[in-house]
Amino acid sequence: MKCAVVPREKFKSAVGLLIDGYVAAIPVKENGVLEYKKMDGKAGEKDLAGLAAYAVDCDELPYKSPKEFLFPQVEELMVFDNDSCTAVEKDTRDKIAVVGVKPCDLNALKVLLTVFFQGKYKDDNVTGRRENIMLIGTGCAKKKPGCFCDERGINKNFSSECDIFIEKPVDENDSFRFYSFTVGGDDVLDRLVTGGFGSYSDYEPACGQREGNGCEKEELVIEAEETELFDTADWEGISERCLGCGICTYICPTCHCFDFRDALAGNKTIRYRCWDSCMYPKFTLHASGHNPRASKKERFRQRVLHKYVYVKKNFGYVACTGCGRCIRSCPAGMNIRNVVREISGIRV
Amino acid sequence: MGNAYIPFKARIALILQETSSDVDIKTFRIKPADKDKRMDFMPGQFFEFSVPGVGEAPFGFASSPYEKDFFEVSIKKTGLVTEVIHNLKPGDTVWIRGPLGNSFPVEKMEGSNILVVAGGLGLAPLRPLILYMLEPANRSKYKNISMLLAARSSGDFIYMRDISEWSRRDDTEVILTIDRPEEGWKGKVGFPHNLLGEMQIDISDTYAITCGPPIMIKFVSGKLVEMGIPKSKIYTTLEMRMTCGVGKCGKCNIGHKYVCVDGPVFSMEELSGMPQEY
Ligand SMILES: Cc1cc2nc3c(=O)[nH]c(=O)nc-3n(C[C@H](O)[C@H](O)[C@H](O)COP(=O)(O)OP(=O)(O)OC[C@H]3O[C@@H](n4cnc5c(N)ncnc54)[C@H](O)[C@@H]3O)c2cc1C
Ligand code: SF4
Ligand code: SF4
Ligand code: FES
């Protein structure tokens, strides 16, 4: 880890240098909704550095997480013609700088990347994209309605799950601090310091040093064995209001299930990969007609236990960051935080 | 290692109609188009079979792992992909990727008696195991090999040509059973779990491997446990709906285990520590 101190007046140009040479993905507000937009227009036409600097400073969580930059909702995976089948690597070599990613979403990307990087097989498309993406993180000043990152042990002020993390000044005499955590991050910091935008410092991240600065205790957890709550919790009652629309899974920054679909294009066939959802009955329907998750009771249980128990058992961490998106988006008012509290006996 | 989702080209060399009844099963012999691309699989593993424009589906290998020029797969017509596969002709191009998943613990099973209990198409994923153990280089590694093979009716047995050969051998015991009596039938009648008691099984030294419809697996394994075979020595192979086959798409999990990479072969001991969701 390196840390460069960047004075306020140089902040905008320093951010401009970070995104130089990349297509910048920056949260911008349109019709009242904050969403990541890829700024691939001609540089100079828009004040990209200004937009990026504003995004770093902005204390709002984008409506959707940035997972699409690594794992698009729909992508071409391969093309068949009569004689060959070729992998499609479209978009996987684009250099994208994702700006202003909050700690919850940085932690979510860690989960997503673990699934696609680890195990016996690697996913070439997702891993290829990660190599070409620069993640620029930033903290949250306050929790948003529905957020429970603190209960999930995520420090809203700081995260090292990125290439560069920008810490904002605490008062008007303070400066910005840019931390790097990867080789790619180190390189841009070097350029930044050599370019005169900041100077190296041995400043430690503020986590745990200043009052109210997070380093929260991970208290929203499920300790029980997977077979235990699977049978004992009242999943029928818990899932009663769920409509099975699947929005919670599409909006979730850690959900990563997918399906393949073939489409004919002239004399070729394109095999697409598209997001899928465990909230749909056909997700697990066998060809015989048998369905291990035939009702919403089983499907809702899968969503909760997968995030809180199964992923933890496989990779060591829970796949829910407490971003609150599923709670804010659910048309039926389902609340995963309350469900976990209820079934694990934590007082609501 | 190449991209885990990209299949390679192969050709259909031979097609055999296995059953004449309403369960429509065909066996396909498949040869990779490129000699360097072989399926070096172990008994129990599976592969993904693609028909471009229609889709991809997982199937267990059904031939001896010692066949190096080709492999076989037995496929029941049930839906989109399997319907199109059933209409293929010898010489047609197909796309395959694998081998995927784990395999039966053939080394751990060495030195013990082996009991195979199969129902219907459940014999298909066990055929590579049987042929592996009967391979001259391996036969002496296993003690008695007994098979209890079940089908709905006499016309529903797959691999009749193998079954008659296995029955003729004096180093195997083969018992056939059908659900209801039929005129001229010389085998047994009844569900396999009800016949296990009649077999000579050395419970202290036997590995049991079973595959068939979920309900049969349940009854047979239950009976074997009741008879005293340890759960750690009873194996089965599971089916789940799958897309990727490589542990990424999230379709096939039972609790924290993924059938495509942690399975499809599981011992009853492993299964009893997993949620009952399959
Ligand atoms: C490890 C493993 C080994 C296997 N081995 C064998 C084997 O050796 N032999 C064998 O015959 N089978 C085997 N199977 C089962 C085989 O994979 C299925 O029979 C096969 O996937 C069926 O494919 P299909 O396209 O014909 O059926 P599908 O068309 O997929 O039909 C299945 C059902 O899913 C639904 N469905 C499917 N696609 C869609 C869609 N796009 N939209 C809406 N609904 C849809 C339909 O309701 C349909 O009834 C194995 C499975 C596994 C997991
Ligand atoms: S968003 Fe709400 S209603 Fe829709 S599937 Fe999720 S929990 Fe159910
Ligand atoms: S489950 Fe809900 S709160 Fe948890 S990470 Fe997913 S969207 Fe956010
Ligand atoms: S089939 Fe995709 S995870 Fe198992």
Side-chain angles (χ1 to χ4, degrees):
Chain A
M1 185 193 82
K2 289 183 178 183
C3 172
V5 174
V6 176
R8 275 159 187 272
E9 63 279 9
K10 295 196 173 154
F11 173 59
K12 192 175 138 181
S13 16
V15 172
L17 185 128
L18 288 190
I19 61 175
D20 188 36
Y22 287 86
V23 171
I26 306 173
V28 280
K29 210 165 217 173
E30 260 172 30
N31 304 321
V33 182
L34 188 69
E35 283 218 66
Y36 285 98
K37 290 262 152 50
K38 262 201 225 171
M39 306 287 180
D40 36 17
K42 286 177 217 83
E45 232 171 63
K46 293 188 194 108
D47 177 17
L48 289 188
L51 281 173
Y54 176 79
V56 169
D57 225 14
C58 164
D59 197 39
E60 259 184 74
L61 186 67
Y63 176 63
K64 290 194 282 182
S65 87
K67 82 171 169 186
E68 281 160 90
F69 298 116
L70 287 150
F71 175 47
Q73 185 161 1
V74 179
E75 71 178 300
E76 291 178 21
L77 211 54
M78 63 193 85
V79 179
F80 292 91
D81 59 24
N82 283 336
D83 217 51
S84 65
C85 175
T86 323
V88 179
E89 292 183 349
K90 204 155 78 183
D91 303 336
T92 62
R93 301 283 165 243
D94 290 358
K95 285 171 72 81
I96 304 176
V98 192
V99 182
V101 189
K102 301 286 195 250
C104 58
D105 286 345
L106 291 173
N107 275 277
L109 289 174
K110 176 172 88 172
V111 175
L112 200 76
L113 290 169
T114 305
V115 170
F116 287 114
F117 271 75
Q118 281 193 18
K120 200 168 150 201
Y121 302 91
K122 252 180 24 178
D123 184 297
D124 285 5
N125 288 34
V126 177
T127 53
R129 287 194 189 91
R130 178 64 189 99
E131 279 161 28
N132 293 290
I133 281 182
M134 181 163 59
L135 289 174
I136 303 173
T138 176
C140 277
K142 53 182 188 310
K143 274 182 19 178
K144 290 51 178 171
C147 291
F148 53 101
C149 53
D150 49 346
E151 295 171 32
R152 287 284 326 110
I154 287 165
N155 178 1
K156 69 178 171 30
N157 299 295
F158 192 81
S159 172
S160 56
E161 302 299 334
C162 52
D163 297 287
I164 299 278
F165 189 88
I166 302 178
E167 205 176 31
K168 289 170 230 176
V170 280
D171 55 45
E172 57 257 40
N173 303 320
D174 201 9
S175 301
F176 286 87
R177 280 169 298 277
F178 287 37
Y179 298 91
S180 66
F181 302 102
T182 57
V183 177
D186 288 351
D187 285 351
V188 271
L189 270 206
D190 276 346
R191 275 197 283 136
L192 195 139
V193 170
T194 332
F197 297 100
S199 48
Y200 279 124
S201 129
D202 53 8
Y203 199 93
E204 287 291 317
C207 168
Q209 294 178 4
R210 286 196 298 249
E211 206 187 335
N213 244 3
C215 289
E216 313 291 348
K217 191 171 169 294
E218 186 177 355
E219 58 176 26
L220 193 70
V221 287
I222 294 180
E223 303 280 7
E225 281 298 316
E226 63 186 36
T227 43
E228 214 175 292
L229 283 176
F230 189 90
D231 292 320
T232 54
D234 173 22
W235 294 108
E236 188 120 30
I238 288 168
S239 63
E240 204 179 346
R241 278 176 301 145
C242 172
L243 306 167
C245 68
I247 289 174
C248 51
T249 56
Y250 279 74
I251 200 83
C252 177
T254 70
C255 277
H256 55 264
C257 291
F258 61 79
D259 200 11
F260 292 161
R261 284 297 154 94
D262 287 7
L264 299 174
N267 52 1
K268 293 183 188 329
T269 293
I270 302 174
R271 178 160 295 163
Y272 290 90
R273 156 160 70 189
C274 27
W275 291 357
D276 204 343
S277 168
C278 62
M279 300 308 273
Y280 301 146
K282 283 184 174 154
F283 189 70
T284 46
L285 179 64
H286 291 201
S288 63
H290 170 65
N291 193 343
R293 294 188 209 126
S295 78
K296 63 183 177 183
K297 165 190 158 185
E298 291 89 21
R299 299 193 284 272
F300 195 85
R301 171 172 65 191
Q302 160 68 14
R303 182 173 152 247
V304 174
L305 294 186
H306 180 251
K307 294 210 175 300
Y308 275 81
V309 181
Y310 308 156
V311 171
K312 188 173 168 197
K313 200 148 175 179
N314 285 330
F315 300 121
Y317 33 77
V318 168
C320 171
T321 65
C323 74
R325 285 190 180 88
C326 58
I327 299 171
R328 289 188 288 270
S329 307
C330 177
M334 301 296 289
N335 185 317
I336 192 167
R337 169 183 174 268
N338 292 347
V339 168
V340 173
R341 294 202 146 222
E342 183 187 325
I343 62 175
S344 57
I346 302 169
R347 274 192 23 229
V348 183
Chain B
M1 194 169 65
N3 187 310
Y5 307 123
I6 306 298
F8 59 87
K9 198 165 81 169
R11 283 218 169 70
I12 296 197
L14 184 76
I15 302 175
L16 298 171
Q17 179 80 41
E18 288 289 353
T19 54
S20 46
S21 56
D22 56 329
V23 271
D24 196 0
I25 299 168
K26 285 183 182 177
T27 296
F28 299 81
R29 179 172 291 184
I30 295 172
K31 273 189 184 173
D34 180 347
K35 280 207 162 44
D36 303 335
K37 294 224 156 157
R38 276 206 326 235
M39 286 281 190
D40 269 320
F41 67 91
M42 284 300 282
Q45 287 194 285
F46 68 99
F47 71 104
E48 289 277 355
F49 193 143
S50 272
V51 184
V54 185
E56 197 180 38
F59 301 97
F61 290 102
S63 49
S64 165
Y66 287 97
E67 297 287 1
K68 290 301 177 198
D69 293 338
F70 63 84
F71 67 85
E72 287 172 349
V73 54
S74 298
I75 295 177
K76 178 174 165 170
K77 189 157 79 177
T78 49
L80 280 174
V81 177
T82 47
E83 165 121 36
V84 176
I85 293 176
H86 266 239
N87 291 332
L88 293 172
K89 302 271 171 294
D92 282 353
T93 297
V94 296
W95 299 85
I96 53 177
R97 65 186 170 99
L100 302 168
N102 69 352
S103 51
F104 292 107
V106 286
E107 282 171 18
K108 235 167 60 182
M109 286 154 52
E110 285 178 12
S112 294
N113 299 296
I114 308 295
L115 170 67
V116 172
V117 186
L121 187 55
L123 181 56
L126 305 187
R127 185 176 179 238
L129 175 69
I130 298 169
L131 294 174
Y132 175 94
M133 294 187 298
L134 295 181
E135 181 73 17
N138 296 332
R139 180 61 192 93
S140 61
K141 295 178 188 163
Y142 303 94
K143 289 190 191 158
N144 294 332
I145 298 179
S146 321
M147 303 176 216
L148 174 55
L149 311 178
R152 290 202 308 212
S153 72
S154 59
D156 288 323
F157 282 98
I158 57 172
Y159 313 138
M160 264 330 272
R161 54 199 178 282
D162 288 328
I163 293 177
S164 29
E165 205 221 299
W166 298 336
S167 310
R168 273 198 302 272
R169 293 176 70 121
D170 51 16
D171 61 347
T172 54
E173 183 196 9
V174 180
I175 297 174
L176 302 186
T177 179
I178 55 176
D179 291 358
R180 267 176 286 278
E182 269 177 45
E183 211 164 307
W185 175 249
K186 293 197 187 68
K188 305 263 180 194
V189 175
F191 294 129
H193 59 277
N194 292 330
L195 298 169
L196 285 168
E198 298 174 21
M199 296 184 75
Q200 304 290 327
I201 303 169
D202 175 2
I203 54 160
S204 67
D205 188 21
T206 295
Y207 274 91
I209 293 88
T210 178
C211 186
I215 187 78
M216 189 210 91
I217 297 180
K218 204 176 137 199
F219 280 128
V220 167
S221 54
K223 180 75 189 180
L224 292 168
V225 172
E226 198 185 296
M227 288 165 68
I229 299 188
K231 285 182 174 174
S232 59
K233 288 187 172 181
I234 306 171
Y235 281 84
T236 189
T237 158
L238 294 182
E239 230 179 71
M240 275 288 185
R241 197 184 174 96
M242 292 182 179
T243 292
C244 72
V246 295
K248 309 294 177 202
C249 76
K251 291 255 159 90
C252 69
N253 75 296
I254 302 171
H256 74 286
K257 300 263 191 194
Y258 284 76
V259 175
C260 66
V261 286
D262 301 317
V265 174
F266 291 97
S267 71
M268 285 300 147
E269 188 177 34
E270 283 174 280
L271 286 176
S272 56
M274 285 154 63
Q276 301 299 299
E277 193 176 45
Y278 46 89

